[in-house]
Amino acid sequence: MVSINPQPPVVLVSLAKESKSKGWYHAYGEVIPRWFELYVGLESAASRTRSYEHAVVPGLLQTPEYAAQVVRTRPSVPDDEAAKLVELRIERQRLLTRKRPAAPALDVIIEEALLHKDVPGMPAQIDKLVRASDARNVSIRVLPLNGAITQVVVSGGFVILDFPTNGARSAEPTTVYNEGLSGALYLDRVEEVRTYAEVWNALTAQALSVEESRKLMQGIKERHHD
């Protein structure tokens, strides 16, 4: 399912009008479903991405080894397909350091619990998170284990994508991406976006600061993974 809306979100209609040959990600079309290919296009066009994850490190911040572990959670993925999916995930990360158009802002909130998981390569993955948080356009904050229960127990992980402005207005509406096992929701109605933005604000209020998060991640690596 691409969207629960009767009509496709405006941003998807706009994206569909562009030539299929324009997106570098179309080269991976044989290994990614159409609903995720749409997301990669939106991610490339966004000026700011807000991402909350409770179970895994967001794809834009994964190491190749960690990404391979995530890909392998899908049953019976052929080796060549798994390699292409990891390659795609790493290729997506180039947008964080691109010059033209300007690299987007990436604001991430993750649950502390996912950093304690016994995943191969977790020390290197935590190092990558710490290094990434030094970038001017990247913010990584951690929700500590003693945090309160919020609405995310219902929503799970989600991404809010904001797009460049054209004059006083955004060229495309802010869009929420919510991925499931067999598809994804793309939401851009004002009330839908507002709901997720309110949840994001609540998470922001509970999360540690960037510096506190960096220290916590380093401590978890030293105590549990080294």
Side-chain angles (χ1 to χ4, degrees), residues 16-209:
K17 291 179 180 178
E18 296 186 11
S19 168
K20 290 185 177 181
S21 64
K22 288 185 178 180
W24 60 265
Y25 45 89
H26 290 297
Y28 297 88
E30 74 279 7
V31 297
I32 58 175
R34 175 59 178 159
W35 53 264
F36 187 69
E37 187 176 346
L38 285 170
Y39 173 74
V40 178
L42 297 179
E43 181 181 71
S44 297
S47 57
R48 183 191 183 196
T49 298
R50 287 172 280 175
S51 176
Y52 163 74
E53 278 291 353
H54 67 289
V56 296
V57 172
L60 288 177
L61 298 171
Q62 292 176 5
T63 64
E65 184 176 5
Y66 187 95
Q69 298 296 319
V70 175
V71 168
R72 287 297 184 184
T73 61
R74 290 173 49 186
S76 304
V77 177
D79 290 343
D80 58 341
E81 182 176 331
K84 289 288 286 184
L85 288 169
V86 172
E87 182 182 323
L88 168 65
R89 198 154 297 194
I90 302 308
E91 185 70 23
R92 285 168 51 206
Q93 298 176 10
R94 291 179 180 273
L95 66 85
L96 295 177
T97 55
R98 73 188 181 196
K99 301 301 182 182
R100 294 184 180 179
L106 174 64
D107 297 325
V108 171
I109 297 177
I110 58 176
E111 295 281 354
E112 179 184 344
L114 70 84
L115 299 170
H116 291 274
K117 292 184 177 180
D118 187 18
V119 178
M122 183 58 86
Q125 178 60 75
I126 293 178
D127 281 341
K128 182 177 178 69
L129 290 172
V130 172
R131 290 195 307 272
S133 68
D134 286 331
R136 295 177 61 183
N137 60 319
V138 178
S139 167
I140 302 173
R141 301 177 63 189
V142 178
L143 278 170
L145 291 174
N146 61 359
I149 294 177
T150 68
Q151 285 177 280
V152 293
V153 298
V154 177
S155 71
F158 62 88
V159 178
I160 304 175
L161 299 153
D162 296 303
F163 299 91
T165 56
N166 183 5
R169 301 179 61 184
S170 173
E172 304 290 358
T174 296
T175 301
V176 175
Y177 173 80
N178 197 321
E179 186 175 325
L181 292 175
S182 59
L185 302 179
Y186 291 85
L187 312 171
D188 69 351
R189 293 175 177 172
V190 173
E191 63 273 18
E192 294 168 335
V193 173
R194 182 185 298 118
T195 296
Y196 278 88
E198 289 173 351
V199 171
W200 175 264
N201 291 338
L203 293 172
T204 298
Q206 291 190 28
L208 300 176
S209 69

